[in-house]
């Protein structure tokens, strides 16, 4: 049983926005502030992985990904972030690859 | 079914051409026999069983080789055309994204994302098909990088409605690079 997980579609929103919270709902900034940061810190403190489920939500804009997952590596140790976060997806493997190769490079 | 019919007709055409060529060579040979230079050669009319066996064997090998080579060439051509048509479909998707982003001032992020997702699915399908068929061990990194660049430039927006007015030139350049990369793959597949 995964103790720390975020299903973006059910825990946050099925319809995602842009980058900034003041320019539209369900933005990357909102996701980072309300959910991702706290869950990540809990998981990292406990030495566990944070499981992120990508399916069911869209659209994943590059700005949403940068302001959420990108912000995480800008404010925390990148290696620890890479080791802690585990993505789960059937349909958006390319989004996972984009985060790892472009956002977290 | 259409392909099998085409292959059968190719065989008939090849066989018919071979027969006509054999007849022409025979007629030429007969007429050459009557010239003064050629009449110095002597021919024996005796046939022994070994000659017949040799003739039949040579004929069998020639027919089998002809059939085998024709079959191989036809199969190779079919596979190449199949793969090339996949690449053309990817190019169509890139053209679609270029068109909608350069002809509209603003678009919803969802519309662009759906187009890019569809494009990515086609690229992955093509990659896996190429590996299955074994049509070269081409590294698809450059195609995937083109897709990432296109994704980055078309979905980098502060809000969920994207303004493309200032991005048109950049999008056109990225799409051109993408299409040139795809055409390079078409050439390498065709030249194999």
């Amino acid at each position: 049983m995964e103790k720390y997980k975020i299903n973006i579609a059910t825990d946050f929103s099925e319809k995602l926005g842009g980058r900034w919270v003041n320019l539209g709902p369900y933005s990357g900034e909102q996701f980072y502030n309300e959910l991702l940061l706290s869950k990540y810190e809990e998981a990292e403190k406990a030495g566990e992985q944070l499981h992120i489920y990508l399916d069911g939500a869209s659209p994943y804009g590059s700005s949403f990904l940068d302001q959420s997952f990108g912000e995480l590596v800008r404010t925390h140790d990148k290696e620890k972030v890479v080791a802690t976060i585990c993505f789960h997806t059937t349909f958006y493997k390319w989004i996972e690859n984009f985060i790892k190769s472009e956002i977290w490079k | 079914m259409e392909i099998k019919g085409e292959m059968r007709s190719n065989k008939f055409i090849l066989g018919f051409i071979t027969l006509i060529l054999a007849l022409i060579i025979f007629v030429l040979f007969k007429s050459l026999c009557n010239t003064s230079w050629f009449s110095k050669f002597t021919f024996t009319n005796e046939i022994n069983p070994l000659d017949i066996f040799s003739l039949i064997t040579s004929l069998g090998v020639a027919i089998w080789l002809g059939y085998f080579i024709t079959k191989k060439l036809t199969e190779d051509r079919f596979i190449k055309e199949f793969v090339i048509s996949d690449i053309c479909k990817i190019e169509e998707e890139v053209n679609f994204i270029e068109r909608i982003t350069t002809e509209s001032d603003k678009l919803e992020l969802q519309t662009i994302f759906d187009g890019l997702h569809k494009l990515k699915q086609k690229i992955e399908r093509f990659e896996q098909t190429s590996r299955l068929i074994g049509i070269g061990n081409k590294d698809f990194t450059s195609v995937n990088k083109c897709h990432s660049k296109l994704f980055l430039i078309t979905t980098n927006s502060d809000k969920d409605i994207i303004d493309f007015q200032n991005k048109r030139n950049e999008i056109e350049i990225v799409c051109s690079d993408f299409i040139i990369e795809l055409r390079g793959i078409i050439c390498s597949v065709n030249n194999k």
Side-chain angles (χ1 to χ4, degrees), chain A residues 12-13 15-34 59 63-64 67, chain B residues 109 157-162:
Chain A
F12 184 61
S13 173
K15 180 112 173 83
L16 304 174
R19 186 186 290 271
W20 305 116
V21 70
N22 60 339
L23 291 177
Y26 307 115
S27 62
E29 190 185 16
Q30 184 183 346
F31 175 63
Y32 176 79
N33 290 338
E34 288 182 6
S63 45
F64 177 95
Q67 202 52 41
Chain B
L109 181 58
S157 171
D158 293 343
K159 39 189 180 171
D160 55 356
I161 304 286
I162 308 174

Side-chain angles (χ1 to χ4, degrees), chain A:
Chain A
M1 185 66 187
E2 291 152 1
K3 200 173 172 188
Y4 302 97
K5 69 176 189 178
I6 299 174
N7 185 319
I8 295 179
T10 55
D11 299 336
F12 184 61
S13 173
E14 284 178 12
K15 180 112 173 83
L16 304 174
R19 186 186 290 271
W20 305 116
V21 70
N22 60 339
L23 291 177
Y26 307 115
S27 62
E29 190 185 16
Q30 184 183 346
F31 175 63
Y32 176 79
N33 290 338
E34 288 182 6
L35 212 53
L36 185 62
L37 180 61
S38 53
K39 285 271 186 175
Y40 170 76
E41 284 177 346
E42 278 174 32
E44 202 215 344
K45 198 174 173 182
E48 302 266 349
Q49 282 202 305
L50 172 60
H51 298 266
I52 309 268
Y53 289 81
L54 299 174
D55 293 342
S58 76
Y60 288 100
S62 58
S63 45
F64 177 95
L65 299 172
D66 182 65
Q67 202 52 41
S68 53
F69 298 102
E71 188 65 14
L72 202 58
V73 296
R74 286 191 285 269
T75 53
H76 296 75
D77 180 69
K78 181 182 147 187
E79 281 174 21
K80 278 192 183 155
V81 170
V82 172
T84 304
I85 295 207
C86 176
F87 291 103
H88 298 267
T89 176
T90 304
F91 305 112
Y92 297 133
K93 194 73 190 162
W94 65 278
I95 293 288
E96 180 188 341
N97 292 337
F98 181 82
I99 293 169
K100 289 177 177 173
S101 62
E102 301 292 331
I103 305 287
W104 287 352
K105 66 177 175 189

Side-chain angles (χ1 to χ4, degrees), chain B residues 13-148:
Chain B
I13 292 167
L14 196 69
F16 184 70
I17 291 170
T18 311
L19 193 65
I20 299 291
L21 276 171
L23 275 169
I24 291 169
I25 290 167
F26 178 73
V27 166
L28 277 170
F29 188 70
K30 277 297 259 182
S31 62
L32 273 171
C33 279
N34 295 331
T35 62
S36 56
W37 176 75
F38 219 74
S39 62
K40 285 180 187 167
F41 290 98
T42 55
F43 300 96
T44 174
N45 291 332
E46 288 169 10
I47 298 170
N48 68 55
L50 201 59
D51 288 337
I52 295 170
F53 175 76
S54 173
L55 191 69
I56 292 168
T57 313
S58 304
L59 196 65
V61 168
I63 290 169
W64 179 79
L65 264 175
Y67 168 75
F68 179 75
I69 289 168
T70 311
K71 182 173 177 287
K72 188 82 175 63
L73 286 172
T74 310
E75 282 170 0
D76 282 353
R77 190 68 239 159
F78 173 74
I79 288 169
K80 282 182 189 178
E81 283 175 8
F82 185 71
V83 170
I84 287 169
S85 74
D86 256 6
I87 302 171
C88 290
K89 282 174 192 162
I90 295 172
E91 190 174 321
E92 277 171 27
E93 291 299 329
V94 176
N95 285 330
F96 170 73
I97 290 169
E98 186 183 22
R99 197 171 60 248
I100 60 169
T101 53
T102 53
E103 289 175 3
S104 317
D105 287 343
K106 291 181 184 186
L107 271 177
E108 274 197 22
L109 181 58
Q110 186 71 60
T111 309
I112 305 298
F113 181 77
D114 289 343
L116 287 160
H117 183 62
K118 201 173 163 191
L119 172 60
K120 188 65 182 178
Q121 297 301 106
K122 292 202 167 159
I123 292 170
E124 281 173 6
R125 193 191 312 172
F126 164 67
E127 280 180 40
Q128 286 174 28
T129 307
S130 297
R131 289 198 182 106
L132 204 68
I133 294 171
I135 195 145
N137 296 318
K138 179 145 179 91
D139 181 10
F140 298 103
T141 310
S142 54
V143 175
N144 287 318
K145 274 197 171 150
C146 287
H147 182 270
S148 294

